[in-house]
Amino acid sequence: DAVRIPIRRRFAAHTEVADRIAAANGATWRANEIAAADGVPLQSWEFRPKQWNGATVLVLHGHLDTREGTAGFAPMLLRHGYAALIPDNRGHGASGGPQVTYGVRERDDVQRWVAWAARHGGAQRVYGLGESMGAAILLQSLPERSAFARPLPRAHSPVSAAWPTSGSRGGSVCR
């Protein structure tokens, strides 16, 4: 069910990293904390550009990494007007929790961060960007009935113009 994270991977975030990113990109940042469904405290940094487009990107790190490992995405996002919400996943960095559940509990953590971004961060839209296990957690957090899971009709597929399909494929890119 779960894996215990070695104690060497649990540490407080270095706020000077966030200070440098914000200063170099003319942005502001703040530290945030929410409670997971099971009461585990979850920590994040939120970076906001001066010219914010109203969208926030939730950036999730991989297994045995921390928010400092994915904070490098913030400058690119900030340059394009996106806010970046970068948490430590449960059991990593400064977030609590003795176990990593590979998405079982983390998918609800993602939903809580998305709700926080809208309610407290003012985000009109929230996107996700994940590295390794962070990407897997983002995919697990999608609703079961999502257009993402359906094959695209051939007429709407960007692949169909460059990738010929045979008549036996029924005109869809995915089968």
Side-chain angles (χ1 to χ4, degrees):
D1 268 3
V3 173
R4 294 209 182 273
I5 299 298
I7 195 74
R8 64 182 162 70
R9 302 308 282 170
R10 301 296 305 271
F11 51 84
H14 299 103
T15 57
E16 62 272 8
V17 172
D19 287 336
R20 278 195 309 269
I21 291 169
N25 293 281
T28 58
W29 78 275
R30 65 178 170 168
N32 308 297
E33 180 177 314
I34 63 171
D38 58 357
V40 167
L42 303 172
Q43 306 283 328
S44 76
W45 289 334
E46 180 194 25
F47 296 92
R48 181 78 55 96
K50 284 184 181 169
Q51 297 290 315
W52 185 42
N53 64 18
T56 295
V57 179
L58 176 64
V59 182
L60 297 182
H61 61 76
H63 185 58
L64 297 180
D65 201 356
T66 68
R67 61 183 139 171
E68 289 181 35
T70 51
F73 288 109
M76 171 190 67
L77 296 169
L78 294 166
R79 276 193 307 273
H80 293 283
Y82 294 92
L85 180 60
I86 308 175
D88 278 331
N89 294 338
R90 69 170 50 236
H92 293 78
S95 287
Q99 298 173 326
V100 174
T101 64
Y102 294 96
V104 173
R105 291 188 174 143
E106 291 85 353
R107 64 181 170 228
D108 183 69
D109 299 345
V110 167
Q111 295 301 325
R112 288 172 182 269
W113 281 119
V114 169
W116 182 92
R119 205 171 26 249
H120 300 285
Q124 298 163 6
R125 298 171 311 284
V126 178
Y127 300 101
L129 171 65
E131 251 185 0
S132 189
M133 182 54 64
I137 291 167
L138 281 171
L139 290 174
Q140 290 179 61
S141 72
L142 293 173
E144 283 186 34
R145 294 187 181 273
S146 171
F148 180 81
R150 291 188 300 234
L152 294 172
R154 183 170 184 238
H156 295 100
S157 171
V159 177
S160 63
W163 197 290
T165 58
S166 70
S168 64
R169 290 184 60 133
S172 79
V173 174
C174 302
R175 267 230 20 111

